[in-house]
Amino acid sequence: MAIEVRNVSKAFGDFQALGDVSVVVPDGSLTALLGPSGGGKSTLLRVIAGLETADAGEVLFDGEPVTGVPPQHRDVGFVFQHYAAFKHMTVRDNVAFGLKIRKRPKDEIATRVDELLKLVHLDGFAGRYPAQLSGGQRQRMALARALAVEPKVLLLDEPFGALDAKVRKELRDWLRRLHDEVHVTTVFVTHDQEEALEVAEQIVVINEGRIEQAGSPDELYESPATPFVMGFVGPVSQLGDQYVRPHDIDIHLEPVDGGLQAQIEHVARVGFEARVELHLADGAPVSVLVTRQQAAEQELEAGQIVWLRAHRFHAFAEGELASA
Amino acid sequence: MSALPRPAAIVVARPAIAGALATAYLSLIVLIPLAAVVVESSVDGWAGFWDAITAPQAVAALRFTVIASSIVVAINVVTGTIIAWVLVRDDFPGKRTVNAIIDLPFALPTIVAGLTLLALYGPKGPAPFDIGFTRVAVLAALLFVTLPFVVRSVQPVLMELDREMEEAAQSLGAGGFTVFRKVILPTLLPAIASGAGLGFARALGEFGSVVLISGNIPFKTEVASVFLFGQIESNNTRGAAAVSVVLLLVSFALLLVVSWIGTRTDRHAR
């Protein structure tokens, strides 16, 4: 199901969480809402789910406005950062919850729950209580619970935020594969750009209640619309008014046309790469990423004076994009 | 958080000392007096005990007390949960004051509570009805003194309740009432049971607030504690002790049930 958000605004007291936000989520896509904490991405997700009411604007599911439709009638599956497990119910009863509410026949519920538990690799845990599961298992249970009712949209609010790095990575890959299998329109909120770039087909960058840019991971990385997006989806250095990725800067040992003089402060060799920290004549810090081999050939070391020139950069003028 | 090992001596010694202190204190304050009551009730043997608790007036008083306490607790479970809900979930001017008022029945001397109820709702009161010296009056007095129990046990649990659990239930298709019945109520149940148990035990032994307003009419409005007082006044301490033992057993059985509900739920709540 396609989702369209039209000119939605939402304030909490004096705090403007969303200001005139419009987004389109294509049917069957896997979309990430990416942005810093407090930027409004969770609020947007909750407005889509009907858990918050927008002050202005509307949300459309397949072209039909759903304003005023309560969450229980929106056919959305919602997964929370802290699992929101029903602690007094077994894993089986948690997953069966939505089906029981829909008064499905008992044997159908049992079959469906078994299927889902297998899908999330929790078969064998049906009789346990949430407190007896690890964080990753609880979140998989929450996913099975949300998928049980065959929602038209799956909404996940920082689903892996409470998990440790290793489990987070596993679940991330797993969500990607799950989406390939189930094909339900999925929107997830994250503040982790790596997570968004790796998992999502479409990324919507939200900051201070506004959409900075929406596009594919490649578009965002290659043609960021604003300095904020450029800085948020990857590391960025500034050479004058040029915004540059650290791997797009060349280090020259002799003065070159358009090159800026800089002094090396530190060279860190990390595996295949070497990260060179420098400062420009005006003191501004710059990071450059070169191969280990290049660092060795140029004999780069702290204190050395070099010239920097970007072979690829972005310049932003009043929000307009101009890249070379 | 650091994981420095604690000195072993403290780890071992502390529970031992604490345990000894707790045992000594409990014995002095609770166990020995209770044991004395039981001993006193059994001085005349089983026959004497049985005669004392099956005397018609004693049976009537015990029966009325248990029934009245049960009704009061049933009402408290509903109203107490609603009051706790309003205090936690709703915002209204004067909320803090109302919140403070809940505890006043604990602070007011119970005899004053009884007197006040009698003055207001009794034969000479300004109210358009007169419940003085009736069973309803006993219920009113017991409701007054037991009000805080359910409210105060449910309130903190309700404050801690995971709102996202409710939202998850909603998004899975549950309407307001279903969310309450299937998600909120089961979570509150141990707290409600604990408040109800304490309230019931309190109602069983309540004396001060009922002694004036009930009129103490035997076979009608006389509650067990007032009956006991009469027995003591007429020097029948053994009979009084026997009836006390019955009250104690009823309370104890109920508190056991409550703690069973609590542990059964706690096992998977954390």
Side-chain angles (χ1 to χ4, degrees), chain B residues 83-84 87 95-110 113 143-156 159 202:
Chain B
I83 292 171
L87 285 177
K95 178 168 154 174
R96 293 172 69 139
T97 316
V98 173
N99 191 27
I101 286 174
I102 302 293
D103 286 330
L104 281 187
F106 277 163
L108 195 69
T110 49
L143 280 173
F144 180 87
V145 296
T146 56
L147 168 77
F149 289 103
V150 172
V151 179
R152 287 302 186 225
S153 57
V154 169
Q155 215 177 356
M159 280 196 281
R202 170 70 196 267

Side-chain angles (χ1 to χ4, degrees), chain A residues 251-284:
Chain A
I251 297 178
H252 301 269
L253 299 177
E254 303 294 332
V256 286
D257 246 14
L260 288 173
Q261 189 184 321
Q263 185 172 24
I264 300 181
E265 280 179 5
H266 182 67
V267 181
R269 292 178 178 82
V270 189
F272 168 73
E273 294 170 331
R275 192 172 49 241
V276 186
E277 305 290 346
L278 315 93
H279 62 263
L280 299 175
D282 61 0

Side-chain angles (χ1 to χ4, degrees), chain B residues 19-38:
Chain B
L21 266 176
T23 311
Y25 183 81
L26 272 180
S27 303
L28 204 63
I29 301 292
V30 182
L31 292 179
I32 294 173
L34 288 187
V37 172
V38 175

Side-chain angles (χ1 to χ4, degrees), chain B residues 61-228:
Chain B
L62 278 170
R63 226 177 70 155
F64 175 52
T65 306
V66 171
I67 291 173
S69 301
S70 305
I71 295 172
V72 162
V73 161
I75 295 174
N76 266 328
V77 161
V78 178
T79 56
T81 307
I82 293 174
I83 292 171
W85 182 271
V86 170
L87 285 177
V88 172
R89 291 291 171 94
D90 292 353
D91 256 324
F92 52 90
K95 178 168 154 174
R96 293 172 69 139
T97 316
V98 173
N99 191 27
I101 286 174
I102 302 293
D103 286 330
L104 281 187
F106 277 163
L108 195 69
T110 49
I111 190 95
V112 178
L115 262 177
T116 310
L117 288 175
L118 188 62
L120 283 174
Y121 308 137
K124 290 175 189 155
F129 50 86
D130 170 17
I131 58 166
F133 319 124
T134 64
R135 291 181 163 175
V136 177
V138 175
L139 291 183
L142 292 180
L143 280 173
F144 180 87
V145 296
T146 56
L147 168 77
F149 289 103
V150 172
V151 179
R152 287 302 186 225
S153 57
V154 169
Q155 215 177 356
V157 181
L158 207 49
M159 280 196 281
E160 294 288 307
L161 196 71
D162 181 6
R163 293 296 284 265
E164 291 187 344
M165 218 160 76
E166 293 166 48
E167 291 177 344
Q170 266 185 300
S171 74
L172 289 166
F177 181 67
T178 312
V179 174
F180 182 77
R181 196 166 54 88
K182 296 214 164 178
V183 176
I184 301 175
L185 199 56
T187 316
L188 294 184
L189 197 62
I192 293 175
S194 133
L198 290 172
F200 185 78
R202 170 70 196 267
L204 276 188
E206 177 56 20
F207 178 81
S209 62
V210 283
V211 67
L212 291 176
I213 200 171
S214 72
N216 309 321
I217 307 162
F219 301 101
K220 197 172 164 240
T221 64
E222 189 177 57
V223 296
S225 61
V226 177
F227 169 77
L228 290 177

